[in-house]
Amino acid sequence: MLRCDYDVWAPRASTVSIVLDGETHEMTPAGDGWWTTDVPWRGGVDYGYLLDGEGPLPDPRSRRQPSGVHGLSRTDDPRGFEWHDAGFRPVPLADAEIYELHIGTFTPEGTLEAAATRFDHLRSIGVTHIELLPVNDFNGEYNWGYDGVDWYAVHELYGGPEGYRRFVDAAHQAGLAVIQDVVYNHLGPSGNYLPMFGPYLHDASANTWGASINLDGEGSTEVRSYIIDNALMWLDDYRVDGLRLDAVHALVDHGPVHLLAELSAAVDEFAQSEGRSVSLIAESDLNDPVMFTERSEGGHGLTGQWSDDFHHAVHVNLTGETIGYYADFESVGALAKVLTKGFYHDGTYSSFRERDHGVPIDRENTATWRLVVANQNHDQIGNRAIGDRLTATLDADRLAIAAALTMLGPFTPMLFMGEEWSATTPWQFFTSHPEPELGEATAKGRIAEFAKMGWDESSVPDPQDPATFERSKLDWSEPAQPEHARMLALYQRLAELRPDLVELTFDDVAVAYDEDARWLVLDRAPYVLVVNLSDSPVDVTAVAPQAGEPLLDTAAFLRSAPLAPESLGAPHSVVVARRA
């Protein structure tokens, strides 16, 4: 929410001063670790804080960092922006098609303004929600976004806060909702001044990325407010329509009310007061429906969550890759279980984790759209050794199977930028840490991560090499090339079929399959999908007697051949038919 004063929470300081336009003003204690001043607030002013004489340091709630994360903050007033999106209402998540993109690599320019020029393309493939990877400020020029340290500031090279408002406004005018990826489980390694102000970190616990955020220790009440206020800022001042909550399994919270439940309650209250619909989607490795279970029933009350198990089952059945965490998904049966139960690991043994994992979903009462699924996303591509997409491994027929299962399956689909035309550009892990020692440590740590997956360490590109970032940018000349144009046309055809889909519970989804013959029939109203994963044809009539009028045969479509009932069921194809 907008904060038009210079108050700051700094319980660790004995004295606090604000440096404003080159002048220093002492601040006075306001209770509970807060400091205040009677200096009037003005827009477009550079300022910072002196803590016991040290600084000036940027504002923990800074809206702009024009000189980078180590520089002074600059005030920004969103109330001066003229919005043109009156009357916009996002499509419910139950009817959504999400498109995940990274501003820096989505276009050659790498800006919010340039991304907005591609809205017609997104609408042509049925996209309803744009999900932006983190845009809050980080040190350096380019980054995935998960090294952010200024959670309230929009990265200047993307367009800053004004560019972000223009982007959301334009998206809404184009009928597109915006979901912002936010990271509340850790802070980046460079420019994190929060511990100098207060106990933002919990040194007693850590996750993959460093010290955990202090959610349940001394001073945690203000830290939790810092997070919730940040979430409300995106919804109110920037009018985003939802948040994707990064790696919530890394949130360490032993308090009486979990942060996620407190956050969802605050967001629900805001949405109700504004007459708006807001989605909260968790990325969770827990395979636990507690994420979207109602708070009144002991859950966190979020809208939905990602299901990596869908990705793994699709990936293994199409690529045959079974190393690391893919090992348990080596069967058509694994795919069948995911399609009907949501999670493959729902209390079963995970060989990668070497323990039982997951909790079953209530199939009778849970809507399938609660799970957001993808056959590719930034993690599952970028966290591979060379950042290779499925395009590098699969032919067009197999890519079409992945597309059909994602777009017409029972879940909420999410596409990763460029997959709709089978982009050949990789999406690799890239950083631009100005500190040489940090860049070297990042590169070494990256190589160590791949040991358990069995990937060739020598093939891992240097994250600090500018070429790694440049290679990861989409090539927008590809969609016009014949082989890519045909895949794009397939995604457009799948998007045309999506509006007929009806809301389902897991009990409404039925699957038949043959492990040896490698076919699977997905029966979900109003369609039947016959998926042939084998090198041999399959008799559609025999395996799916409930299939009626054929609407799409991916094998014929990719070859610009007519839809011919007598030739349905080609190797590595999907037939979409009306349910008789």
Side-chain angles (χ1 to χ4, degrees), residues 99 101-103 105-127 130 167 170-171 174 176 417-418 420-421 474-480 488:
Y99 189 92
L101 67 86
H102 174 264
I103 289 296
T105 52
F106 182 57
T107 64
E109 300 87 349
T111 63
L112 288 154
E113 182 179 15
T117 66
R118 304 294 179 174
F119 288 161
D120 286 345
H121 168 81
L122 300 184
R123 289 172 50 171
S124 78
I125 56 172
V127 171
I130 303 168
F167 177 87
L176 297 168
M417 59 179 197
E420 68 273 19
W421 73 73
L474 286 178
D475 179 357
W476 281 91
S477 71
E478 287 188 337
L488 179 58

Side-chain angles (χ1 to χ4, degrees), residues 414-481:
M414 185 179 74
L415 313 182
F416 183 68
M417 59 179 197
E419 80 165 72
E420 68 273 19
W421 73 73
S422 60
T424 61
T425 48
W427 204 73
Q428 299 176 329
F429 181 71
F430 46 81
T431 54
S432 58
H433 298 306
E435 304 91 341
E437 66 281 1
L438 182 55
E440 182 179 355
T442 300
K444 289 181 178 178
R446 187 73 179 163
I447 291 174
E449 286 181 14
F450 298 126
K452 196 170 183 179
M453 291 299 290
W455 286 320
D456 181 6
E457 298 176 3
S458 65
S459 67
V460 179
D462 181 0
Q464 288 283 109
D465 185 348
T468 304
F469 171 64
E470 292 298 329
R471 277 193 301 269
S472 299
K473 291 194 173 190
L474 286 178
D475 179 357
W476 281 91
S477 71
E478 287 188 337
Q481 299 168 16

Side-chain angles (χ1 to χ4, degrees), residues 124-202:
S124 78
I125 56 172
V127 171
T128 62
H129 290 62
I130 303 168
E131 182 173 309
L132 299 179
L133 267 69
V135 299
N136 55 287
D137 215 12
F138 52 82
N139 198 20
E141 295 184 3
Y142 48 84
N143 191 288
W144 275 19
Y146 298 92
D147 284 329
V149 290
D150 291 306
W151 288 357
Y152 284 73
V154 176
H155 189 56
E156 285 291 307
L157 293 183
Y158 290 164
E162 189 72 6
Y164 193 93
R165 288 189 284 267
R166 288 196 298 266
F167 177 87
V168 175
D169 195 34
H172 287 175
Q173 292 177 71
L176 297 168
V178 177
I179 297 173
Q180 182 56 59
D181 190 343
V182 290
V183 184
Y184 296 141
N185 55 67
H186 74 283
L187 287 141
S190 179
N192 175 20
Y193 294 102
L194 293 185
M196 298 179 68
F197 286 84
Y200 285 88
L201 299 182
H202 199 315

Side-chain angles (χ1 to χ4, degrees), residues 3 143 155 235 250 256 261 300 317 327 476 480 495 507 525:
R3 184 171 136 262
N143 191 288
H155 189 56
L235 305 178
H300 298 330
N317 274 281
W476 281 91
D507 263 356

Side-chain angles (χ1 to χ4, degrees), residues 307-308 310-312 314-315 318-319 326 372-377 380-381 389-391 394 398-407 413-416 419-420 491:
S307 172
D308 281 345
F310 174 89
H311 167 272
H312 301 343
V314 171
H315 184 95
L318 292 176
T319 67
Y326 294 138
V372 175
V373 302
N375 63 72
Q376 301 178 80
N377 61 40
Q380 299 302 336
I381 299 173
R389 296 170 178 263
L390 284 177
T391 313
L394 303 180
R398 291 172 174 84
L399 290 173
I401 294 175
L405 284 170
T406 305
M407 294 275 281
M414 185 179 74
L415 313 182
F416 183 68
E419 80 165 72
E420 68 273 19
Y491 272 81

